Amino acid sequence: MPTRVRRALTWLGAAALAAVAVLVGPTAAQAATPAWPTLGTGTSGANVTSAQFLLRHHGRTLSVDGYYSSGTASAVSSFQSANGLTPDGVVGPLTWGKLVVTVDVGANNNAVRALQTALNKYGYRLTVDGAWGTATTNAVTSFKSSRGLTGGTTVGPTTWQWLIGGGGGGGNYSLIIGRSVLPRSEYDDPHHDYPAIDLPTWTGVTTYAITSGTVIHVGGGCGYGIGITGDDGAYYQYCHLSSRSVASGTRVSAGQVIGYTGNTGNSTGPHLHLEIRVNGGNRCPQRMLLALYDGGSVPAPSSLPTTGCTY
Ligand SMILES: [Zn+2]
C-alpha cells in the first residue's frame, strides 16, 4: 500500500476517534462563551458580512461584501456616535453589544441575514435571504442545543456571542496545491460551460483546504469530491480526487490536507476542478487563486465575478 494511502487511512482512523471523543466529551455548555471578535479595516470573512448586515438593519447604507473597507468603517463610526460609543470605526465587544438585536421565528430583515450568515459558519448552508423559515428554525435549534443554550428559538445577545465569537471568523485562505506544481498562467484559464477552474495536475498532488470550514463528501460526476462550507459563507467544491483524507463533517482549517488529485468521475485526464458558490451561484475562482499564488490580498468570494471565465 502506498505510504500516502496508508497515511490517509491512519488519518481517517484518527478522525473517527476524534469524532467519538467529541460525542463523549464535556458538553459545550460547560465551556466559556467565546469572546466577541474585533473587526477593523482590512479584515474579511463571515463575521464582517454579519456586521455589515447588522449595520444595514440599523439603517446604515453600505455594501455587504465581507470585506471591511473604509465604507464599512464610516458606517461603524456613524453607528457608534449614535449609540454613545467612541466613534473609532472598529467593531469590538461594546459595538457588537449594540449591533446585535434579538430575533425569532418569522422575522424577515437584515438581522436575520446576519444570523443566517453566522449560522453558515457552522455548516448549515442556509440561503441568506433574511426570511426566517423552517430551515433557519432548524439550524438555530440545532446550534443552541449543541451549546446548551436555553430560551427556545429566540436569538438574543448570548446566542449571538456564541455564533459570532465561535466557528472562526473566516477570511484566512491557502493555496489549494503547492505553488511549484503549476505555473501562474494555469490559474487564469477559463472553464468549459460554467464558472469554475480546471487545474491540469498529475495524479497524487497534495490538495489543501482553501479556507476553514466544514467538509462534506461529494460524488457523482465529481468523482471523489470534497465540498467545504467555508466559514466565510461561501461553498468550495473540489472534484476528481484520487483519495480523500478527511471524513464528511470534519472541521478543517485553511491549508489543511484534504486529499490528493486524480481522475475520478467525469474526467478525461488527471486534473483538479474547483468551483466556488456564493448563495448557490457559481463565481469565477480565477482572481482568488491568482491572489493566493501571488501572495496578494485575497478578494472576498462574494466579490468574485459570476461571468467572464467560461468558453
Ligand atoms: Zn471542471
Side-chain angles (χ1 to χ4, degrees):
M1 189 186 288
T3 311
R4 191 179 69 241
V5 174
R6 219 165 42 230
R7 225 181 263 139
L9 289 174
T10 307
W11 204 96
L12 281 173
L17 285 175
V20 171
V22 166
L23 290 174
V24 300
T27 63
Q30 293 167 282
T33 310
W36 290 110
T38 297
L39 307 178
T41 302
T43 56
S44 62
N47 285 337
V48 173
T49 303
S50 287
Q52 289 170 330
F53 277 130
L54 287 166
L55 286 160
R56 276 201 179 177
H57 184 78
H58 290 284
R60 266 61 196 182
T61 303
L62 74 165
S63 44
V64 176
D65 56 6
Y67 185 75
Y68 206 109
S69 60
S70 57
T72 304
S74 306
V76 169
S77 293
S78 154
F79 175 79
Q80 288 169 324
S81 295
N83 285 275
L85 300 169
T86 308
D88 61 3
V90 173
V91 178
L94 295 177
T95 305
W96 278 116
K98 299 277 188 188
L99 273 176
V100 297
V101 294
T102 297
V103 282
D104 210 329
V105 178
N108 189 338
N109 54 42
N110 277 312
V112 176
R113 286 189 176 88
L115 170 66
Q116 290 164 332
T117 300
L119 283 164
N120 283 348
K121 292 198 299 175
Y122 301 88
Y124 289 108
R125 304 188 69 183
L126 299 171
T127 302
V128 179
D129 59 4
W132 185 323
T134 309
T136 302
T137 297
N138 291 343
V140 166
T141 303
S142 158
F143 181 83
K144 288 187 71 172
S145 72
S146 72
R147 266 70 179 173
L149 300 169
T150 56
T153 54
T154 305
V155 173
T158 304
T159 303
W160 274 111
Q161 191 170 338
W162 275 95
L163 281 164
I164 299 287
N172 293 320
Y173 296 94
S174 164
L175 291 166
I176 59 172
I177 52 175
R179 191 170 182 283
S180 60
V181 173
L182 292 175
R184 186 181 193 280
S185 58
E186 295 293 346
Y187 291 95
D188 60 7
D189 285 356
H191 189 257
H192 58 88
D193 302 340
Y194 63 98
I197 195 165
D198 289 331
L199 298 173
T201 66
W202 57 93
T203 290
V205 172
T206 309
T207 304
Y208 307 104
I210 192 166
T211 193
S212 60
T214 305
V215 165
I216 58 163
H217 279 184
V218 180
C222 189
Y224 285 117
I226 281 183
I228 296 175
T229 302
D231 293 337
D232 58 6
Y235 171 74
Y236 300 88
Q237 184 164 302
Y238 300 68
C239 291
H240 318 305
L241 301 172
S242 56
S243 67
R244 298 183 278 217
S245 318
V246 283
S248 199
T250 304
R251 286 277 314 163
V252 290
S253 49
Q256 184 170 332
V257 177
I258 55 171
Y260 298 88
T261 59
N263 190 26
T264 58
N266 293 344
S267 178
T268 54
H271 75 284
L272 178 60
H273 167 106
L274 177 78
E275 56 190 273
I276 302 176
R277 297 181 203 151
V278 176
N279 289 335
N282 277 61
R283 302 294 176 124
C284 292
Q286 285 78 1
R287 267 180 48 205
M288 185 177 244
L289 296 179
L290 285 167
L292 289 166
Y293 185 90
D294 292 339
S297 85
V298 179
S302 56
S303 73
L304 296 171
T306 55
T307 57
C309 59
T310 57
Y311 63 84

